[in-house]
């Protein structure tokens, strides 16, 4: 799999690669076990002053865990061309003691990934379980560089993370095709029509949709300085979507060893029956994103800007910036700022002062450090 300059800059050059930092604890007779992880903590502040219900909220400064994790990577060579593999990764709270104000907070807050599979250089890779969206890995990945906020294209949980199976081909002269299925089951829920004639409705009761499959697929071309991904996701409501198809065309180009630029387009139709009051995602949209990354020595700088046309609503702007410094091969520090809904009052009649105010109102910021092992 080709590594773009962006990935190398923010992951490899900064020493943040789990693969690079992983410690091999067992490697014998074709069986290997690696352990890896990171402890990441920071300070966050700013962001929206109102919640989705229109209520004013506190946006003050807070110490936060920045997605600390612990993982295991396992593999066994079945033959010269076939490898069985597995991966297990947890997130844990680095800023909590595990018990605050008498409440029990488990140290491990999430099983982030847990999957197994078979990999063949000739036939490709098949895997099943809880893993990141293939659409994110093969299409929207050039824009997915932020540690926290700022990605407006579909991210790693998109119709994925559990009850999923996926397949992608080996590299075919730069091309890689992929297909993934996510299954939503209603097994164990109450039937709506009970034997005594009572009709049930609400939480814990089967829906009219029954079990649902959410497919996603596409193709990526990665050769030399060029990476282009074209993909789709059936964004079913069960997984937080609006029930419409999502399409994306996203690419990047490495101009030099230090500078990379990216451009992307993502679209999803509007669904008039989509209830935004109870949904956890936006409705139809057209998103255009442009960004770049510059690397020099231990430093990496990256930034993106999006124009988002939400169908039936006002167009908005979104932007994010990040700077990262590699203190050592295992330790880095960072600063990120982002505004997910910058004002749309940006036009030729607006003076520079108003433009700056429009783009910096309600900015979220995060700074901190990470140790990788």
């Amino acid at each position: 799999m080709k590594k773009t300059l962006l990935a190398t800059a923010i992951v490899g050059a900064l020493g943040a690669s789990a693969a690079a930092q992983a410690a091999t604890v067992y490697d014998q007779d074709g069986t290997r076990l690696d352990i890896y992880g990171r402890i990441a903590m920071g300070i966050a502040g700013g962001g929206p002053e109102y919640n989705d219900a229109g209520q004013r909220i506190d946006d003050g400064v807070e110490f936060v865990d920045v997605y600390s994790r612990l993982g295991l990577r396992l593999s066994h060579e079945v033959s010269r061309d076939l490898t069985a593999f597995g991966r297990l990764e947890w997130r844990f709270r680095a800023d909590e003691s595990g018990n605050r104000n008498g409440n029990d907070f488990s140290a491990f807050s999430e099983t982030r990934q847990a999957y197994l599979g078979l990999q063949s250089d000739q036939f490709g890779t098949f895997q099943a379980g809880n893993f990141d969206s293939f659409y994110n890995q093969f299409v929207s990945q050039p824009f997915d560089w932020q540690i926290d906020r700022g990605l407006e294209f579909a991210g790693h949980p998109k119709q994925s993370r559990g009850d999923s199976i996926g397949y992608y081909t080996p590299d075919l002269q730069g091309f890689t095709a992929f297909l993934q299925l996510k299954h939503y089951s209603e097994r164990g829920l109450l039937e709506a029509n009970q034997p005594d004639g009572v009709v049930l409705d609400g939480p814990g009761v089967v829906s009219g949709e029954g079990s649902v499959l959410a497919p996603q697929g596409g193709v990526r071309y990665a050769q030399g300085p060029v990476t282009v991904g074209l993909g789709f996701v059936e964004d079913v409501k069960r997984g937080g979507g609006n029930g419409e198809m999502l399409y994306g065309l996203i690419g990047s180009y490495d101009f030099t060893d230090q500078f990379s630029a990216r451009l992307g387009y993502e679209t999803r139709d509007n669904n008039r029956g989509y209830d935004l009051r109870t949904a956890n995602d936006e409705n139809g949209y057209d998103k255009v994103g442009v960004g770049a990354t510059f690397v020099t020595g231990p430093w990496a700088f990256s930034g993106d800007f999006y124009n988002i046309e939400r169908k039936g609503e006002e167009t908005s702007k979104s932007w994010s910036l990040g700077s990262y410094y590699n203190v050592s091969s295992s330790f880095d520090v960072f600063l990120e700022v982002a505004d997910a809904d910058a004002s749309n009052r940006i036009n030729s009649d607006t003076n520079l002062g108003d433009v700056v105010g429009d783009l910096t109102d309600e900015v979220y910021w995060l700074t901190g450090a990470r140790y990788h092992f």
Side-chain angles (χ1 to χ4, degrees):
M1 183 180 295
K2 174 180 177 292
K3 290 186 177 181
T4 64
L5 172 62
L6 179 64
T8 304
I10 299 178
V11 179
L14 294 178
S17 171
Q21 298 300 323
T24 300
V25 297
Y26 183 86
D27 189 358
Q28 187 173 344
D29 299 327
T31 299
R32 177 168 174 163
L33 169 62
D34 293 337
I35 183 170
Y36 67 92
R38 71 182 183 215
I39 302 172
M41 291 178 285
I43 303 173
E49 298 178 356
Y50 295 86
N51 60 21
D52 293 338
Q55 300 166 314
R56 190 176 182 88
I57 58 175
D58 180 67
D59 61 354
V61 175
E62 179 187 15
F63 284 95
V64 294
D65 169 74
V66 190
Y67 308 109
S68 299
R69 61 190 60 174
L70 175 67
L72 302 174
R73 186 180 289 106
L74 310 95
S75 66
H76 175 74
E77 294 182 4
V78 180
S79 68
R80 294 184 62 181
D81 185 54
L82 184 64
T83 300
F85 62 86
R87 185 173 177 182
L88 179 59
E89 183 177 292
W90 303 273
R91 278 183 176 156
F92 61 88
R93 296 183 175 91
D95 66 329
E96 300 274 352
S97 64
N99 191 301
R100 183 178 65 180
N101 300 327
N103 297 318
D104 184 21
F105 292 94
S106 299
F108 288 92
S109 58
E110 176 188 0
T111 301
R112 186 175 182 274
Q113 301 197 67
Y115 61 88
L116 49 82
L118 295 170
Q119 187 271 329
S120 166
D121 293 335
Q122 182 178 2
F123 298 105
T125 300
F126 173 85
Q127 63 188 56
N130 171 14
F131 52 87
D132 291 345
S133 158
F134 277 7
Y135 176 91
N136 175 249
Q137 295 182 53
F138 291 98
V139 180
S140 60
Q141 185 62 42
F143 282 83
D144 191 10
W145 52 268
Q146 301 90 347
I147 297 174
D148 195 4
R149 304 183 187 182
L151 176 65
E152 291 291 348
F153 295 137
H156 58 79
K158 177 57 73 176
Q159 301 297 350
S160 189
R161 308 300 295 278
D163 299 330
S164 297
I165 58 174
Y167 167 80
Y168 57 90
T169 67
D171 188 308
L172 304 173
Q173 295 184 335
F175 288 94
T176 304
F178 65 93
L179 179 65
Q180 178 184 339
L181 296 175
K182 162 77 172 182
H183 181 240
Y184 295 95
S185 173
E186 294 191 334
R187 179 180 171 85
L189 299 184
L190 296 173
E191 292 286 356
N193 298 314
Q194 295 295 305
D196 55 8
V198 175
V199 179
L200 301 178
D201 189 19
V205 180
V206 296
S207 67
E209 299 180 38
S211 296
V212 174
L213 280 176
Q216 57 184 279
V219 62
R220 184 192 62 184
Y221 176 77
Q223 192 79 353
V226 179
T227 299
V228 179
L230 174 65
F232 74 90
V233 179
E234 186 173 346
D235 213 358
V236 300
K237 293 182 181 179
R238 191 75 63 81
N242 72 339
E244 300 289 343
M245 294 293 293
L246 177 154
Y247 300 96
L249 176 61
I250 298 170
S252 66
Y253 187 84
D254 300 342
F255 288 92
T256 69
D257 290 340
Q258 292 182 293
F259 181 73
S260 173
R262 51 193 171 270
L263 179 66
Y265 172 72
E266 191 174 271
T267 183
R268 190 175 65 187
D269 285 340
N270 211 46
N271 187 335
R272 294 184 179 181
Y274 190 52
D275 190 351
L276 291 173
R277 296 171 299 177
T278 59
N280 60 2
D281 197 4
E282 54 197 335
N283 207 340
Y285 57 75
D286 289 300
K287 298 180 179 179
V288 176
V290 60
T293 294
F294 177 71
V295 182
T296 175
W299 286 96
F301 304 92
S302 196
D304 291 338
F305 183 85
Y306 296 87
N307 184 77
I308 306 171
E309 295 184 6
R310 295 182 175 90
K311 299 176 181 180
E313 301 181 32
E314 292 185 358
T315 298
S316 67
K317 318 294 182 184
S318 174
W319 62 269
S320 60
L321 296 171
S323 62
Y324 311 85
Y325 181 75
N326 182 24
V327 179
S328 73
S329 60
S330 298
F331 191 87
D332 64 76
V333 294
F334 58 88
L335 170 64
E336 293 186 345
V337 292
D339 190 339
D341 192 16
S343 172
N344 192 43
R345 299 188 306 273
I346 304 171
N347 52 58
S348 58
D349 298 327
T350 305
N351 62 49
L352 180 60
D354 291 336
V355 170
V356 173
D358 292 340
L359 289 175
T360 57
D361 189 28
E362 300 184 357
V363 170
Y364 170 82
W365 58 269
L366 171 69
T367 185
R370 303 181 297 176
Y371 184 87
H372 308 271
F373 58 89

